C-alpha cells in the first residue's frame, strides 16, 4: 500500500464501514457525541514530535512548483514546524481568517457526523501520529496528513466555503443514500484535486500535498489522465486507494468549484443511478485530457 493514497483516506470515504478505528474511542468518556475529543497534547512523546518535524521538513521541501499558491501562502499559518502544533494555536489564526476551526477526532468517523462537522465549519483532525517505523507507510490518515495536507487550504476563503458547502450537500446526500457518490467528489477535489494556475498545473488536494511520492506523479508524470472537472464524470469515477491515482480532475479556480456545487444535486444523483461507474485510468470516447 502506498502512503500517499492510504494516508488520504477520509471519514467520508470509508463512512460507516466496519474498519476498526486506529484511535482510542473509549478514553474514559472523553469522546463527545459528535465524535470529537480533546487533543491530548501532553500525551505526545518526543519521538512523536520528531516524526512530525521530519515529515514536515521533507514535504515542505518538495512544494515549490508543485503545490498551488494558496497552499504555499498559508502553510506558515500552521505555526511551529518542529513539533506537533496545539490545535488551539492554529484555531486562533484559522478562525480569524475564514471562521473555520479544527477539532480533534480519535480516527475515522462515520459519514453523517463527518458531513455535519464540515457543514458547521469544523474540520476533523486525527490527533495521533504514525510511529517512526510507519514513516513512509500508514493505513489511515494521521495528524500529519490532516494538518499539513488539509488545514492550509482552509485559510483560503473560497475553498473554505466550498468545503462547508460540501458538508451541507453531504447531509442531503446521506439522506438520499448518495453519500458514496458524493464521496468521490471529495476524493477528487479535497484529497486529489489539481488546479491550473497561470504558471502551470499545481496540486491543492491534501492526499497529494502530504505524500512524498504522489506530488511529482500528480503534477508532472505523463502517466495519469488529467480531465477537466465535471460533476457527473467525477462522481461516476472510481478511485484507487492502494496506488497513486490514474485519473485526476483539474479546476481553473476555487470559485469554479464553489459555483459548481451551488445547485441541488438531486437530479445528478438520479442521473448517476442510470449510468455505470467508470474505472480510474479510463478515457471515454471523445474525451481529451486537460
Ligand atoms: Fe484527508
Amino acid at each position: 500500500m502506498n502512503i500517499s493514497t492510504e494516508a488520504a483516506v477520509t471519514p467520508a470515504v470509508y463512512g460507516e464501514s466496519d474498519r476498526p478505528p486506529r484511535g482510542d474511542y473509549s478514553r474514559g468518556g472523553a469522546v463527545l457525541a459528535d465524535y470529537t475529543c480533546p487533543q491530548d497534547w501532553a500525551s505526545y512523546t518526543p519521538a512523536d514530535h520528531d516524526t512530525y518535524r521530519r515529515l514536515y521538513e521533507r514535504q515542505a521541501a518538495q512544494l515549490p512548483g508543485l503545490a498551488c499558491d494558496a497552499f504555499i501562502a498559508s502553510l506558515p499559518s500552521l505555526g511551529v514546524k518542529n513539533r506537533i502544533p496545539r490545535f488551539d494555536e492554529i484555531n486562533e489564526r484559522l478562525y480569524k481568517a475564514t471562521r473555520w476551526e479544527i477539532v480533534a477526532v480519535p480516527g475515522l468517523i462515520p459519514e453523517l457526523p463527518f458531513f455535519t462537522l464540515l457543514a458547521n465549519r469544523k474540520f476533523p483532525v486525527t490527533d495521533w501520529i504514525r510511529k517512526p517505523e510507519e514513516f513512509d507507510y500508514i493505513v489511515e490518515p494521521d495528524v500529519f496528513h490532516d494538518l499539513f495536507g488539509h488545514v492550509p487550504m482552509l485559510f483560503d476563503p473560497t475553498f473554505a466555503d466550498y468545503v462547508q458547502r460540501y458538508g451541507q450537500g453531504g447531509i442531503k446526500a446521506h439522506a438520499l443514500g448518495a453519500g458514496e457518490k458524493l464521496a468521490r467528489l471529495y476524493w477528487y477535489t479535497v484529497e486529489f484535486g489539481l488546479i491550473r494556475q497561470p504558471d502551470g498545473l499545481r496540486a491543492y488536494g491534501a492526499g497529494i500535498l502530504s505524500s512524498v511520492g504522489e506530488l511529482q506523479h500528480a503534477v508532472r508524470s505523463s502517466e495519469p489522465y488529467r480531465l477537466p472537472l465535471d460533476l457527473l464524470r467525477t462522481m461516476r469515477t472510481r478511485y484507487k486507494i492502494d496506488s497513486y491515482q490514474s485519473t485526476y480532475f483539474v479546476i481553473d479556480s476555487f470559485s469554479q468549484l464553489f459555483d459548481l456545487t451551488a445547485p441541488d444535486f438531486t437530479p445528478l444523483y438520479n442521473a448517476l443511478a442510470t449510468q455505470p461507474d467508470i474505472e480510474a485510468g479510463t478515457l471515454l470516447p471523445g474525451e481529451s485530457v486537460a
Side-chain angles (χ1 to χ4, degrees), residues 7-11 123 141 145-146 149-150 186 190-191 206-207 210:
V9 170
T10 68
F123 194 85
H145 165 79
D146 282 340
H150 286 285
Y186 189 92
V190 177
E191 294 291 357
S210 64

Side-chain angles (χ1 to χ4, degrees), residues 2-205:
N2 183 284
I3 181 179
S4 63
T5 48
E6 280 300 299
V9 170
T10 68
V13 171
Y14 271 127
E16 291 165 67
S17 73
D18 55 4
R19 198 182 161 99
R22 162 86 174 254
D24 175 8
Y25 281 82
S26 57
R27 299 210 185 168
V31 177
L32 306 176
D34 62 358
Y35 286 84
T36 66
C37 62
Q39 182 195 22
D40 188 5
W41 196 84
S43 72
Y44 296 130
T45 65
D48 290 337
H49 289 301
D50 195 55
T51 298
Y52 183 89
R53 179 190 63 77
R54 290 188 297 126
L55 286 166
Y56 189 115
E57 201 172 271
R58 177 174 72 172
Q59 206 58 22
Q62 286 206 76
L63 300 176
L66 299 174
C68 71
D69 290 347
F71 184 87
I72 289 177
S74 294
L75 185 62
S77 299
L78 289 185
V80 292
K81 307 172 187 174
N82 61 347
R83 61 163 169 82
I84 301 168
R86 291 176 189 271
F87 294 177
D88 288 349
E89 295 169 354
I90 293 175
N91 278 337
E92 279 180 30
R93 295 182 284 272
L94 182 57
Y95 193 81
K96 274 183 203 155
T98 57
R99 291 183 299 106
W100 267 81
E101 56 187 314
I102 55 176
V103 289
V105 288
L108 301 175
I109 66 173
E111 181 179 283
L112 187 57
F114 177 69
F115 290 145
T116 304
L117 286 173
L118 297 186
N120 288 288
R121 295 177 92 87
K122 293 178 196 296
F123 194 85
V125 174
T126 306
D127 67 346
W128 53 264
I129 192 157
R130 68 195 76 180
K131 298 298 171 199
E133 61 270 25
E134 298 171 304
F135 198 71
D136 288 329
Y137 167 88
I138 189 169
V139 294
E140 290 180 20
D142 70 344
V143 67
F144 178 74
H145 165 79
D146 282 340
L147 276 188
F148 187 96
H150 286 285
V151 176
M153 290 306 301
L154 293 174
F155 280 83
D156 181 89
T158 310
F159 187 81
D161 285 347
Y162 163 68
V163 180
Q164 180 184 30
R165 182 174 274 175
Y166 178 87
Q168 292 164 337
I171 294 170
K172 233 189 287 183
H174 181 79
L176 295 169
E180 194 187 333
K181 301 287 186 196
L182 188 66
R184 291 175 180 167
L185 181 62
Y186 189 92
W187 185 267
Y188 283 118
T189 59
V190 177
E191 294 291 357
F192 290 97
L194 296 176
I195 184 168
R196 191 169 300 286
Q197 294 188 170
D199 53 351
L201 203 61
R202 298 289 186 272
Y204 70 89

